[in-house]
Amino acid sequence: MTKDDADLSLILHALADPTRRSILNRLAEKPARVTDLSEPTGLRLPTVMRHLSVLEDAGLIASSKEGRVRTCVIVPEALSPVRAWLDEHRATWEARLDRLEALATQIAKERAR
Amino acid sequence: MTKDDADLSLILHALADPTRRSILNRLAEKPARVTDLSEPTGLRLPTVMRHLSVLEDAGLIASSKEGRVRTCVIVPEALSPVRAWLDEHRATWEARLDRLEALATQIAKERAR
């Protein structure tokens, strides 16, 4: 497994959780303190911190601490490997879909005779 | 959590494993029997079957059985929810990136004075 592949796995794992995706949505609007992310969602602080740690390990967010206050920001370019993977596979997959459709049309025509 | 959100979580979880991504790459070329997927990769049959089950639960592949032979095919359109999620967030995230860049440029200019 290459480093890129390991990074992609970390990112996809981080995105695979709906709570983590909702945290990202929230941070996409503006940076937020850890308590800002906990209070409105009703999530307990340790739960939020665990999710933030997974997001930070994947490079999807960054955080900084001033005094006792930790602020989180998203790292938008961190989604690039997912986009690249999808684009890379799109061509192959779509070509395959086209062939399957052509085959289905052909079978349908033959049956109609 | 909506059904769409649950589906997206299943798909992202399935994609988060490098072995499962390599199985998808292999199936993107052409359908394959379970043994075809096991032999060249050196993966044990139960391991391959476990990964195939995760991929099938996420709707990324489909399989059919003829006699004792199970054949797997990819379901290319199953990646659509991931693409939709990325597109939906691209706009918000890129706008944020633009604002950050503008801010960085402004700070750099002020420092240069």
Side-chain angles (χ1 to χ4, degrees), chain A residues 1 5 8-9 12-13 15-16 18 21 25 28 31 74 76-77 83 85-86 89-90 93 96-97 99, chain B residues 1 5 8-9 12-13 15-16 18 21 25 28-29 31 74 76-77 83 85-86 89-90 93 96-97 99:
Chain A
M1 184 162 68
D5 221 26
L8 182 56
S9 296
L12 289 166
H13 167 69
L15 294 178
R21 289 200 301 278
N25 288 355
I74 54 158
E77 62 273 30
R83 214 165 271 137
W85 186 84
L86 281 177
H89 292 75
R90 187 174 212 154
W93 289 44
R96 187 160 161 65
L97 193 59
R99 285 199 302 276
Chain B
M1 184 162 67
D5 223 24
L8 182 56
S9 296
L12 289 166
H13 167 70
L15 294 178
R21 289 198 302 278
N25 288 355
E29 292 164 25
I74 55 159
E77 61 273 32
R83 214 166 271 138
W85 186 85
L86 281 177
H89 292 75
R90 187 175 213 153
W93 289 45
R96 187 161 161 64
L97 193 59
R99 287 200 300 277

Side-chain angles (χ1 to χ4, degrees), chain B residues 27-90:
Chain B
L27 290 176
E29 292 164 25
K30 57 178 181 183
R33 294 172 307 169
V34 176
T35 47
D36 294 336
L37 295 167
S38 166
E39 282 157 14
T41 52
L43 290 171
R44 288 170 57 246
L45 209 56
T47 309
V48 171
M49 287 172 77
R50 189 163 41 79
H51 284 307
L52 290 175
S53 158
V54 176
L55 289 168
E56 198 158 9
D57 286 349
L60 288 161
I61 66 164
S63 73
S64 58
K65 202 168 182 179
E66 198 165 334
R68 296 186 55 184
V69 179
R70 181 171 290 280
T71 304
C72 303
V73 293
I74 55 159
V75 181
E77 61 273 32
L79 284 179
S80 303
V82 182
R83 214 166 271 138
W85 186 85
L86 281 177
D87 289 346
E88 197 184 309
H89 292 75
R90 187 175 213 153

Side-chain angles (χ1 to χ4, degrees), chain A residues 27-110:
Chain A
L27 290 176
E29 291 164 26
K30 57 178 180 182
R33 294 172 308 169
V34 176
T35 47
D36 294 337
L37 295 168
S38 166
E39 282 157 13
T41 52
L43 290 171
R44 289 171 56 247
L45 208 55
T47 307
V48 171
M49 287 173 76
R50 189 163 40 81
H51 284 308
L52 290 175
S53 157
V54 176
L55 288 169
E56 197 159 9
D57 286 348
L60 288 161
I61 66 164
S63 73
S64 58
K65 203 168 181 178
E66 199 165 334
R68 295 187 54 183
V69 179
R70 180 171 292 280
T71 304
C72 303
V73 294
I74 54 158
V75 180
E77 62 273 30
L79 284 180
S80 302
V82 182
R83 214 165 271 137
W85 186 84
L86 281 177
D87 289 346
E88 195 184 313
H89 292 75
R90 187 174 212 154
T92 326
W93 289 44
E94 281 184 355
R96 187 160 161 65
L97 193 59
D98 288 348
R99 285 199 302 276
L100 283 172
E101 277 171 357
L103 187 63
T105 312
Q106 193 191 322
I107 292 169
K109 271 187 194 162
E110 283 173 7

